[in-house]
């Protein structure tokens, strides 16, 4: 993931490049999963399994 901000002249500026966004305890993804009453580890496991199943 790449975070950008566009300045007043319309030029994009890179703020951060992250290969694993949303993986800290203060990130929005774990907070959203918790708010939904789900287990973060199970959600990640499901995402990995679904991604692996799509592989040709």
């Amino acid at each position: 993931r790449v975070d950008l901000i566009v300045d007043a002249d319309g030029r994009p500026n890179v703020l951060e490049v992250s290969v694993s966004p949303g993986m800290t305890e203060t990130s929005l993804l774990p907070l959203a999963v918790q708010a939904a009453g789900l287990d973060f580890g199970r959600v990640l496991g499901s995402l990995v399994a679904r991604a692996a199943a799509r592989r040709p």
Side-chain angles (χ1 to χ4, degrees):
R1 181 189 84 194
V2 179
D3 293 337
L4 303 167
I5 190 168
V6 179
D7 66 20
D9 295 323
R11 291 177 299 207
N13 295 284
V14 175
L15 298 176
E16 172 186 16
V17 176
S18 178
V19 295
S20 58
M23 299 302 159
T24 69
E25 59 277 352
T26 59
S27 298
L28 292 179
L29 180 61
L31 296 175
V33 169
Q34 182 181 20
L38 302 172
D39 179 82
F40 191 58
R42 286 184 184 222
V43 169
L44 293 180
S46 175
L47 290 172
V48 169
R50 292 175 71 179
R54 291 179 58 176
R55 187 174 183 208

